[in-house]
Amino acid sequence: MKNILLFHVSPRQKGTSYVLLQMCMEYLSEKGHICELMHLYPNLNNPEKIRETVNRADTLVFSGPCYINTYPADTIALLEDLSVHREVLHGQYIYGIIQGGMPYPHTHESGLSMLEMFCKKCDLAYKGGFVMGLGAMLNGQPIKKLPNSKKINRQLQIFFEHIDKEEDSPRQVYQVAQFKVPSLVYRIMSSTMNRKIDNDLTNHGIDVKQRSPYFISE
């Protein structure tokens, strides 16, 4: 039996990251672990409480959205604060859950890489994570709303089992659950998004056909 801190690092209290963390907590509680759920944002101005809670934990599970290729900025600030107050870090096991709107996992994996770097710096045991695409489609709804929900549920159970047994969770666990989007759909999506961007720029008085200022002049 372990003390497990489930750290919700999304600014949205009841969004998709929370749904995933709730599933994780239910699984681990059934296995007999002592689980504590903490929301980051209501405690941003109470770092002492956060440090005390982290200090009590044997294992930490972070769950949050992918904002521009990693967790939200306040999560990074949290990790920086913990790296300064090393007295609350004592070799805990660290797992990460990160989800985002894009269907493929590689867009969001850098968030887990950041957690891994944090662990190396602070002598913690990074044990892996779970990446889920299409999270924005859920908007806090159950996983069953996703087109690949059966795969997601199956692979999440494997990930939760790794946490229960304090095992490393390899990338293959979440890669198996990836939603396969046909290449033609990607082309249509990119074309549609590019047109929307061009229209937005034009509406703001920007000539989309002008030479980019970021090109180096010869």
Side-chain angles (χ1 to χ4, degrees), residues 120-175:
K120 288 180 179 179
K121 178 179 179 180
C122 299
D123 297 321
L124 302 173
Y126 176 73
K127 306 296 284 183
F130 194 92
V131 178
M132 191 186 80
L134 301 177
M137 287 180 59
L138 289 179
N139 194 27
Q141 299 179 85
I143 296 293
K144 65 181 180 181
K145 298 289 186 179
L146 290 178
N148 57 335
S149 61
K150 290 183 179 179
K151 285 184 178 181
I152 289 285
N153 271 313
R154 182 175 65 245
Q155 298 309 115
L156 276 172
Q157 295 303 307
I158 295 173
F159 175 63
F160 298 157
E161 183 179 355
H162 287 154
I163 299 175
D164 170 41
K165 297 181 178 179
E166 299 182 333
E167 298 173 340
D168 290 340
S169 188
R171 296 174 69 238
Q172 289 81 357
V173 173
Y174 61 80
Q175 286 179 327

Side-chain angles (χ1 to χ4, degrees), residues 5-215:
L5 172 59
L6 298 122
F7 219 140
H8 182 230
V9 296
S10 171
R12 298 185 64 239
Q13 293 296 295
K14 300 291 184 179
T16 302
S17 301
Y18 177 76
V19 170
L20 295 171
L21 204 58
Q22 280 285 103
M23 293 173 64
C24 183
M25 185 168 67
E26 290 174 7
Y27 181 96
L28 296 173
S29 296
E30 289 177 358
K31 296 296 182 179
H33 298 290
I34 300 172
C35 296
E36 183 173 1
L37 175 64
M38 171 171 263
H39 296 277
L40 172 61
Y41 282 83
N43 293 287
L44 280 178
N45 296 322
N46 195 352
E48 293 82 7
K49 180 181 178 181
I50 293 176
R51 295 176 201 139
E52 290 173 3
T53 308
V54 169
N55 190 37
R56 289 196 300 269
D58 302 304
T59 297
L60 284 79
V61 182
F62 292 87
S63 180
C66 183
Y67 287 175
I68 313 180
N69 296 328
T70 191
Y71 289 102
D74 289 310
T75 305
I76 299 172
L78 163 68
L79 299 181
E80 289 175 345
D81 179 78
L82 292 176
S83 69
V84 172
H85 295 86
R86 298 284 188 91
E87 67 276 7
V88 303
L89 303 177
H90 41 84
Q92 291 103 320
Y93 288 165
I94 307 294
Y95 294 88
I97 300 172
I98 188 166
Q99 57 82 25
M102 293 298 181
Y104 29 79
H106 71 266
T107 309
H108 318 303
E109 283 179 317
S110 54
L112 298 184
S113 298
M114 182 192 69
L115 276 183
E116 186 174 11
M117 288 188 289
F118 164 71
C119 290
K120 288 180 179 179
K121 178 179 179 180
C122 299
D123 297 321
L124 302 173
Y126 176 73
K127 306 296 284 183
F130 194 92
V131 178
M132 191 186 80
L134 301 177
M137 287 180 59
L138 289 179
N139 194 27
Q141 299 179 85
I143 296 293
K144 65 181 180 181
K145 298 289 186 179
L146 290 178
N148 57 335
S149 61
K150 290 183 179 179
K151 285 184 178 181
I152 289 285
N153 271 313
R154 182 175 65 245
Q155 298 309 115
L156 276 172
Q157 295 303 307
I158 295 173
F159 175 63
F160 298 157
E161 183 179 355
H162 287 154
I163 299 175
D164 170 41
K165 297 181 178 179
E166 299 182 333
E167 298 173 340
D168 290 340
S169 188
R171 296 174 69 238
Q172 289 81 357
V173 173
Y174 61 80
Q175 286 179 327
V176 170
Q178 178 182 356
F179 181 65
K180 305 294 185 181
V181 180
S183 59
L184 177 61
V185 175
Y186 276 131
R187 292 178 183 177
I188 295 173
M189 287 173 59
S190 61
S191 177
T192 302
M193 292 174 69
N194 284 335
R195 283 199 302 272
K196 183 180 185 305
I197 292 171
D198 286 348
N199 289 336
D200 288 343
L201 292 173
T202 301
N203 291 336
H204 284 84
I206 299 173
D207 181 4
V208 297
K209 295 183 179 180
Q210 68 179 337
R211 181 177 174 82
S212 171
Y214 297 104
F215 283 123

